[in-house]
Amino acid sequence: MENNKIGHHISEQFNRELEEIRNKVLTMGGLVERQINLATQAFSQSDIELAETVIQQDNHVNDLEVEIDRECIEIIALRQPTAFDLRLLISVIKTINELERVGDQAKRISQMTIHLSDGDNNDHYYELQHISEMVSAMLHDALDSFARMNIKEAANINQQIKSVNREYQSIVRQLITKMMENPTNISRSLDLLWAARALERIGDHACNISQHVIYLVNGEDVHHLSTEELNKKIEPKL
Amino acid sequence: MENNKIGHHISEQFNRELEEIRNKVLTMGGLVERQINLATQAFSQSDIELAETVIQQDNHVNDLEVEIDRECIEIIALRQPTAFDLRLLISVIKTINELERVGDQAKRISQMTIHLSDGDNNDHYYELQHISEMVSAMLHDALDSFARMNIKEAANINQQIKSVNREYQSIVRQLITKMMENPTNISRSLDLLWAARALERIGDHACNISQHVIYLVNGEDVHHLSTEELNKKIEPKL
């Protein structure tokens, strides 16, 4: 496994620093995954208390981003890394920024949960279950591809975004129909729509993370490539 | 002006490299500003041809991001900068990422323009004029604060986001009313809503850029601070 590269320095201290950074990213990733799961659970069950917990916990996500970002820059200044080590630190800086934005989406979904609860009834919302499962799995795989530095897994994640987009479009169509059938549904349907949009964007962030993994391992920026171009790029190295 | 710091190295070559990076960010910023202006013009005038031009030009924005990002990392590897120089390069990497996302929003607005034109009439849409002027000005000021490394200007931008949010909420309320009055308006109103959302997010990106400027000058991460905390942080240094 490629991540042995982290332990290749003569300086034991430097090895430890990089390993620690990597572990912190995974801790932050775990926290963000939990935030999404709790946010979607709160949403589907109209659980306001749980939604409030998610909103409060977003601070921890933000704090972790600031902490890891600062540590990466300190290591760059102090150790003057090049090649793989520098790519690792730059990828981490970018990856934690994506994770922080995923955390924001979890917060947004929770705000929708609270907003929806202002209505007359206590509906449960299962419309978003499928898309939330899809993007949770994508984020999980993206973090796994980071932990294992596995570009094949990373490239796979990029292929899943099309299904997420299709599911999202299907939700939008359903909600428009619902709104047209009964205009009193409009405000509530819009909240559902925002939550669906937040979930779709989590899928985008998972893709971005997987692209940072490919950059880390291959040294190539694949951010704006099509799926076909991406596959061609990574094929010889699989 | 603080940006004299860029020219302080004994190596003339290094000075030139940093100056070039700074200029490229401003070029990219100018291109992105132009993309928003064209996108909102196309939107308000239902100009499909112009909207298509914006979508095509998004590639240039993406290419510039990839190019500047690569150059920053090369300079870090080669020059092993510390302190201000390292903060400059890290801030640039983050700033161009925000600019690229602003470019995505301009593209999204253009897609809405094309989508709206599928309807029966050729309405012109002035509802978004005010919010688009607000966020265009914010982005312009954010780039200006970067060019001048002016943290006072940067801090001001953060205060403007509240007005943008208010304007956005007002647009949402108007559109909900419109949808309720006439359900055949729903699909078109949703497109307007997505465009308004895209503009609001451009305001967020402008804020983020201004926070990168404050980090660059002060060395402090102010990303998750409230307006009050932010003002306290930068006050002694103004």
Side-chain angles (χ1 to χ4, degrees):
Chain A
M1 270 204 295
E2 285 252 29
N3 62 359
N4 290 333
K5 276 191 176 177
I6 286 180
H8 74 148
H9 300 97
I10 296 165
S11 160
E12 272 300 316
Q13 176 66 19
F14 189 15
N15 288 335
R16 266 200 303 277
E17 284 166 8
L18 292 181
E19 188 58 39
E20 212 173 287
I21 286 286
R22 181 177 160 274
N23 290 340
K24 278 192 180 173
V25 175
L26 295 176
T27 303
M28 184 179 174
L31 177 58
V32 169
E33 274 190 274
R34 198 162 165 264
Q35 286 283 90
I36 302 174
N37 292 341
L38 294 181
T40 51
Q41 188 189 328
F43 189 87
S44 67
Q45 298 172 1
S46 305
D47 185 336
I48 299 168
E49 212 172 307
L50 191 56
E52 277 164 354
T53 306
V54 173
I55 292 172
Q56 279 157 18
Q57 280 178 351
D58 189 48
N59 279 342
H60 296 315
V61 177
N62 295 345
D63 289 349
L64 263 175
E65 190 207 1
V66 172
E67 182 185 324
I68 301 171
D69 189 270
R70 194 186 53 234
E71 286 175 7
C72 283
I73 296 172
E74 278 171 9
I75 296 176
I76 295 175
L78 212 70
R79 300 284 178 185
Q80 310 193 323
T82 58
F84 177 84
D85 301 328
L86 179 56
R87 291 207 305 276
L88 173 68
L89 293 163
I90 297 287
S91 302
V92 166
I93 289 174
K94 292 180 176 180
T95 296
I96 57 174
N97 183 256
E98 303 290 344
L99 288 173
E100 188 264 331
R101 292 177 200 234
V102 174
D104 284 346
Q105 301 301 336
K107 192 175 162 185
R108 199 158 290 168
I109 294 166
S110 304
Q111 285 161 342
M112 292 302 130
T113 304
I114 294 169
H115 199 228
L116 277 162
S117 73
D118 287 347
D120 294 335
N121 51 21
N122 262 325
D123 285 353
H124 288 203
Y125 300 97
Y126 298 111
E127 291 97 326
L128 305 186
Q129 198 152 347
H130 188 43
I131 192 170
S132 66
E133 280 163 11
M134 288 167 107
V135 299
S136 296
M138 279 176 79
L139 183 68
H140 185 81
D141 291 351
L143 289 165
D144 195 67
S145 75
F146 174 83
R148 298 171 187 268
M149 294 182 196
N150 183 332
I151 56 171
K152 194 174 176 185
E153 193 178 7
N156 274 339
I157 293 158
N158 273 273
Q159 311 219 348
Q160 292 166 33
I161 196 70
K162 282 184 188 162
S163 315
V164 172
N165 292 342
R166 268 197 301 275
E167 175 68 11
Y168 170 71
Q169 290 303 336
S170 147
I171 294 170
V172 172
R173 275 194 304 274
Q174 283 168 40
L175 288 173
I176 291 180
T177 310
K178 215 174 180 176
M179 287 191 254
M180 286 180 142
E181 282 167 4
N182 183 359
T184 59
N185 274 329
I186 287 174
S187 184
R188 296 170 80 75
S189 294
L190 277 181
D191 282 339
L192 274 162
L193 210 53
W194 295 136
R197 176 75 150 215
L199 288 166
E200 190 213 18
R201 300 216 50 239
I202 292 171
D204 287 336
H205 291 301
C207 275
N208 292 346
I209 291 172
S210 72
Q211 288 159 1
H212 300 323
V213 173
I214 295 171
Y215 166 75
L216 165 59
V217 177
N218 266 9
E220 286 199 81
D221 192 329
V222 297
H223 193 49
H224 301 293
L225 299 185
S226 67
T227 312
E228 292 70 31
E229 288 168 325
L230 174 64
N231 286 338
K232 212 177 280 174
K233 277 266 181 216
I234 68 160
E235 224 165 44
K237 300 181 186 176
L238 286 182
Chain B
M1 270 204 295
E2 285 254 27
N3 62 357
N4 289 332
K5 277 190 175 176
I6 286 180
H8 74 146
H9 299 98
I10 296 165
S11 159
E12 272 300 317
Q13 176 66 20
F14 188 15
N15 287 336
R16 267 199 303 277
E17 284 167 9
L18 292 181
E19 188 59 38
E20 213 173 285
I21 286 285
R22 180 178 161 272
N23 289 339
K24 277 193 181 171
V25 175
L26 295 176
T27 303
M28 183 179 174
L31 176 59
V32 169
E33 274 191 274
R34 198 162 164 266
Q35 287 282 91
I36 301 174
N37 292 340
L38 295 181
T40 51
Q41 188 188 328
F43 189 85
S44 67
Q45 299 172 358
S46 304
D47 185 337
I48 299 167
E49 211 171 306
L50 190 57
E52 277 165 353
T53 307
V54 173
I55 292 171
Q56 279 158 17
Q57 282 178 352
D58 190 47
N59 280 342
H60 296 314
V61 177
N62 295 345
D63 290 348
L64 264 174
E65 190 206 1
V66 172
E67 182 185 325
I68 302 172
D69 190 270
R70 195 185 53 235
E71 286 175 6
C72 283
I73 296 170
E74 277 170 11
I75 296 177
I76 295 174
L78 214 68
R79 300 285 178 182
Q80 310 192 323
T82 57
F84 177 84
D85 301 328
L86 180 56
R87 290 207 305 276
L88 174 68
L89 293 162
I90 297 287
S91 302
V92 166
I93 289 173
K94 292 180 177 179
T95 296
I96 57 175
N97 183 257
E98 304 289 346
L99 287 173
E100 188 263 331
R101 292 177 200 233
V102 174
D104 285 345
Q105 301 301 336
K107 191 175 163 187
R108 199 158 290 169
I109 293 166
S110 304
Q111 286 162 341
M112 290 303 130
T113 303
I114 294 167
H115 198 229
L116 276 163
S117 72
D118 288 346
D120 295 333
N121 50 21
N122 261 325
D123 286 353
H124 289 204
Y125 299 97
Y126 297 113
E127 291 97 326
L128 306 185
Q129 198 151 345
H130 189 43
I131 193 171
S132 66
E133 280 164 11
M134 287 166 107
V135 299
S136 296
M138 279 175 77
L139 182 67
H140 185 81
D141 291 350
L143 289 165
D144 195 66
S145 75
F146 175 83
R148 299 170 186 267
M149 295 184 195
N150 183 334
I151 55 171
K152 196 175 174 182
E153 193 179 7
N156 273 338
I157 294 158
N158 272 274
Q159 311 218 349
Q160 293 167 31
I161 196 69
K162 281 185 188 163
S163 314
V164 172
N165 291 342
R166 269 197 301 272
E167 174 68 14
Y168 170 71
Q169 289 305 336
S170 148
I171 294 169
V172 172
R173 274 193 304 272
Q174 283 168 39
L175 288 172
I176 291 180
T177 309
K178 214 172 177 177
M179 288 190 254
M180 286 179 142
E181 281 168 4
N182 183 358
T184 59
N185 274 330
I186 286 173
S187 185
R188 297 170 79 74
S189 294
L190 276 181
D191 283 339
L192 274 162
L193 211 52
W194 295 136
R197 177 75 153 214
L199 288 166
E200 190 214 18
R201 300 217 49 243
I202 291 172
D204 287 337
H205 292 301
C207 275
N208 292 346
I209 291 173
S210 73
Q211 288 159 0
H212 299 323
V213 173
I214 295 171
Y215 166 75
L216 164 58
V217 177
N218 267 8
E220 286 198 80
D221 193 328
V222 296
H223 194 50
H224 300 295
L225 299 186
S226 69
T227 312
E228 292 69 30
E229 289 168 325
L230 174 63
N231 286 336
K232 213 177 279 175
K233 277 261 184 224
I234 67 161
E235 226 164 43
K237 299 181 186 174
L238 287 182

